[in-house]
Amino acid sequence: MSNSAGAGPRQHGESEQTRHPGQALKAASVASQSLAHDIPVYTNGMRIGLLGGSFNPPHLAHRAISLFAIKRLKLDRVWWLVTPGNPLKDNGALRELEERAQAARRMAADPRIDVTCLESVIGTRYTVDTITYLRRRASGLRFVWIMGADNLAQLHRWQHWQRITTQVPIAVIDRPPQSFRALMAPAAQALARYRLPENEASRLADRRPPAWVFLTGLKLNLSSTGLRNPDGSWKT
């Protein structure tokens, strides 16, 4: 499936979109079908939030975080990146990728949220590889990486985490009671001088990284762990 890697700039080229925007979007739609779970349909200039995770299972907090980010960051879309498996977690109870992706599409239920299994296509489980790929294949987009405060607390354990912060701005969504631990964690401390005031969140997608913002005000606090039974099955 990765043999289509050179097609992105031609299918989503700015000059084609400028001359015939409708035709360009139609061509992108056809291309996306042939790429199966690759990059969702887009037009250059869009502001795209990236929310990675196992989605095992997807839940209302994933959707709420996405809609919250769209509003606060002035995004056009959020892409859910359903990972083949998190390198920092025990994946023994992980459902099949396609099952998780289908459940994520049902949960998203919003035209501004796209679900992709991109990481399985490019053969990685590391965020740094995913971001590098997307920036190369879709250079006309303005990406923002979205994560919960619990992930900020362990960001320093991610593969090449410093490089991630120099490639995309990051929006951290508060998840009480994780706030204090997250903001005192090594990554947050190292990036303290690049933190934007929360009232400037709408400008984040336009900022040159490193840049990040800590967003408060989202009250929903579900987790996939809490929605799984001891045997790994999903609660209904």
Side-chain angles (χ1 to χ4, degrees):
M1 298 177 71
S2 60
N3 59 2
S4 57
R10 294 192 298 272
Q11 292 157 352
H12 303 289
E14 184 173 2
S15 59
E16 180 183 3
Q17 175 196 346
T18 303
R19 293 195 306 269
H20 306 292
Q23 293 181 14
L25 191 57
K26 182 178 179 181
S29 180
V30 172
S32 70
Q33 294 174 14
S34 67
L35 292 174
H37 298 299
D38 203 305
I39 300 176
V41 175
Y42 67 83
T43 55
N44 283 327
M46 279 184 169
R47 301 153 69 99
I48 305 293
L50 302 172
L51 182 65
S54 300
F55 296 91
N56 186 47
H59 51 72
L60 287 174
H62 291 129
R63 187 174 190 273
I65 285 171
S66 301
L67 299 180
F68 183 71
I70 287 171
K71 180 179 180 179
R72 295 289 301 275
L73 304 174
K74 304 300 182 187
L75 303 176
D76 296 296
R77 298 279 194 280
V78 169
W79 294 354
W80 288 2
L81 305 170
V82 184
T83 179
N86 188 327
L88 297 179
K89 293 182 178 180
D90 179 3
N91 296 304
L94 198 62
R95 293 284 190 94
E96 291 296 325
L97 179 64
E98 186 58 34
E99 182 180 2
R100 289 182 282 125
Q102 290 178 1
R105 293 185 186 101
R106 291 192 297 269
M107 178 59 67
D110 191 290
R112 296 168 296 176
I113 301 175
D114 294 300
V115 178
T116 173
C117 299
L118 172 67
E119 291 182 333
S120 69
V121 175
I122 65 177
T124 188
R125 299 185 179 199
Y126 294 108
T127 297
V128 64
D129 297 332
T130 305
I131 293 173
T132 299
Y133 180 89
L134 285 171
R135 292 180 71 239
R136 183 176 68 246
R137 283 284 310 276
S139 59
L141 299 180
R142 286 172 285 179
F143 291 111
V144 173
W145 187 263
I146 302 169
M147 65 167 65
D150 53 327
N151 280 319
L152 176 62
Q154 61 173 349
L155 179 58
H156 62 283
R157 299 176 57 204
W158 291 21
Q159 180 94 336
H160 300 305
W161 72 269
Q162 296 98 331
R163 182 146 56 108
I164 294 172
T165 67
T166 64
Q167 293 194 72
V168 289
I170 297 173
V172 181
I173 312 297
D174 188 19
R175 292 190 66 182
Q178 301 284 345
S179 310
F180 181 78
R181 175 170 170 260
L183 292 173
M184 294 303 295
Q189 293 295 298
L191 297 169
R193 62 187 170 130
Y194 301 110
R195 181 179 173 184
L196 273 64
E198 190 169 355
N199 61 8
E200 296 183 18
S202 63
R203 301 170 51 194
L204 182 65
D206 301 317
R207 294 295 293 263
R208 181 177 179 179
W212 66 289
V213 67
F214 192 85
L215 296 178
T216 61
L218 184 66
K219 303 302 182 184
L220 193 59
N221 192 30
L222 296 173
S223 71
S224 293
T225 302
L227 295 175
R228 288 195 299 271
N229 295 308
D231 63 355
S233 61
W234 295 350
K235 295 179 180 178
T236 56

